[in-house]
Amino acid sequence: MAEIIQKDGTWAFDGDALRLTPGRDRNVSLLRRTLGELVVPLGALAGISFEQGKKSGRLRLRLRDGADPLLHASGGRLTEPNDPYQLLVESDRYGVAEYFTDEVRNALLLDEVPCDPATEYLLPGPSVPLSVSAGDGTASFDGEHIRLEWNWKTEDAKAAAGTRTLAVTDLAAVEWQPAAGLENGHLRFTVRGAATKAPPKYDPNSVELWGFKKDPLMALVAAAVQARLPHPSAAAVTDVPPLEHHAPKQLAPADGREDDHDALLRRLRELGELHRTGVLTDEEFAMAKQAVLKRM
């Protein structure tokens, strides 16, 4: 067993999984303390690295795409203090960090863990029930329903709609985005068949975030919901079946080619809409779009 203990946290590896425990140091972020201990199966890893600095170094885990609902819901936007897959290492423990890195890398090679995207979530996501107050509202999740309640800072037009209750089964996507510069962040729930481009400030299915201390906790709500939505790979298969499965084995007669071309154009528009609403990832959208263009 390999283990490294630091003020920032403790990482332990038993050959099958990594156990990541946040430290009790006051510099450990609120998100990491709230998330608590994480158990990451070896099969969820795509790699590990150790970066040395003059005064301190950093261990970093790289997870396979689609393995963790937290990373998917946050779109990789968790800042360094809030990223549970990083560990600050003091200079006198560099040797231990290098040994730890080698142990994990060797296990990845011996077990022949693939680096390609996962087809299911390999981590369970944050536990529920969960409730977070930040920005212009409070988001609560019990595993089946999301409840959005507004505060005195909420825009009047949005607050007028009253408390919102959304069923997970009605959702197409969930997204958390932090505030950056002059741009506010948000926790947005996209209801199936009712996508909107309204700013979070006016969207009754969104909580607007202003860059305060509790904002990252909304990412935990997003992750808990994401863990209960269809996996992105399953959504791609269900909503956008490969075109070749439905394509005729030969070209239609000359007088029907125009209709076929129009159908492909409609498919491109459908793909674009699925991409905009978050059903398709950038990679899935690019692959599906390329398949359509080849047929055209």
Side-chain angles (χ1 to χ4, degrees), residues 6 104 107 191:
Q6 294 290 276
V104 175
V191 178

Side-chain angles (χ1 to χ4, degrees), residues 249-264:
K249 292 184 179 180
Q250 59 183 14
L251 289 174
D255 58 356
R257 287 179 183 173
E258 187 64 31
D259 291 339
D260 185 58
H261 183 77
D262 290 342
L264 293 175

Side-chain angles (χ1 to χ4, degrees), residues 34-75:
T34 304
L35 183 59
E37 186 176 83
L38 282 176
V39 177
V40 183
L42 185 65
L45 285 184
I48 182 173
S49 63
F50 174 55
E51 303 163 4
Q52 293 189 19
K54 291 183 178 180
K55 295 183 178 180
S56 63
R58 193 171 297 275
L59 274 170
R60 298 178 190 267
L61 294 180
R62 182 166 59 87
L63 272 63
R64 295 169 61 191
D65 290 342
D68 180 24
L70 173 60
L71 293 183
H72 184 81
S74 62

